[in-house]
Amino acid sequence: CSGIWQSVWIEPVSREGYLAGIHIDTDIDTGKLEVTGVIVTEDENIVIDSFELFITLNESIKLDGYMIEANGTIHIYSDLPMEKLELWSPDNPVLYEIQLRIGCLDGEFVATDEISSYFGL
């Protein structure tokens, strides 16, 4: 047998740059969050120079951090507000939603793409 065995969808992407995926690493001992995103642009002259990063559990928390960009991959490092977060356990399976927006600063932030995921601590 062969063929498509799952749902398939087509998604439009921005020519100015889009996120092909993200990887999330957390360190509960140091309260650090690292988000790695793969950025694809159609033109090497297009610059993605800014981001917004949010985590959500009951309330939205905007995280500040710094970004390192290299060869179409961004690494965002941020401190987690551990006093506002709960650790995951089988008895308390807390997951946090995360939303990453990329774009450029043109007086104010202009998003070209966003991606949502989740993580546990």
Side-chain angles (χ1 to χ4, degrees), residues 61-80:
I61 302 168
K62 184 176 179 181
L63 295 179
D64 293 321
Y66 60 94
M67 176 173 71
I68 299 171
E69 185 172 353
N71 299 327
T73 302
I74 61 170
H75 299 280
I76 299 168
Y77 300 92
S78 185
D79 293 320
L80 289 169

Side-chain angles (χ1 to χ4, degrees), residues 50-92:
S50 192
F51 70 93
E52 291 182 332
L53 185 63
F54 297 90
I55 60 171
T56 305
L57 177 73
N58 299 331
E59 63 182 80
S60 185
I61 302 168
K62 184 176 179 181
L63 295 179
D64 293 321
Y66 60 94
M67 176 173 71
I68 299 171
E69 185 172 353
N71 299 327
T73 302
I74 61 170
H75 299 280
I76 299 168
Y77 300 92
S78 185
D79 293 320
L80 289 169
M82 294 301 288
E83 67 282 354
K84 295 182 179 181
L85 304 177
E86 298 177 50
L87 298 180
W88 186 96
S89 73
D91 295 329
N92 187 31

Side-chain angles (χ1 to χ4, degrees), residues 16-79:
E16 286 81 31
Y18 64 93
L19 284 159
I22 63 172
H23 179 81
I24 302 164
D25 284 316
T26 59
D27 185 335
I28 59 172
D29 294 327
T30 61
K32 301 290 183 194
L33 170 73
E34 178 184 356
V35 179
T36 303
V38 177
I39 298 176
V40 178
T41 59
E42 224 172 82
D43 183 346
E44 64 184 43
N45 295 322
I46 295 172
V47 176
I48 302 295
D49 64 2
S50 192
F51 70 93
E52 291 182 332
L53 185 63
F54 297 90
I55 60 171
T56 305
L57 177 73
N58 299 331
E59 63 182 80
S60 185
I61 302 168
K62 184 176 179 181
L63 295 179
D64 293 321
Y66 60 94
M67 176 173 71
I68 299 171
E69 185 172 353
N71 299 327
T73 302
I74 61 170
H75 299 280
I76 299 168
Y77 300 92
S78 185
D79 293 320

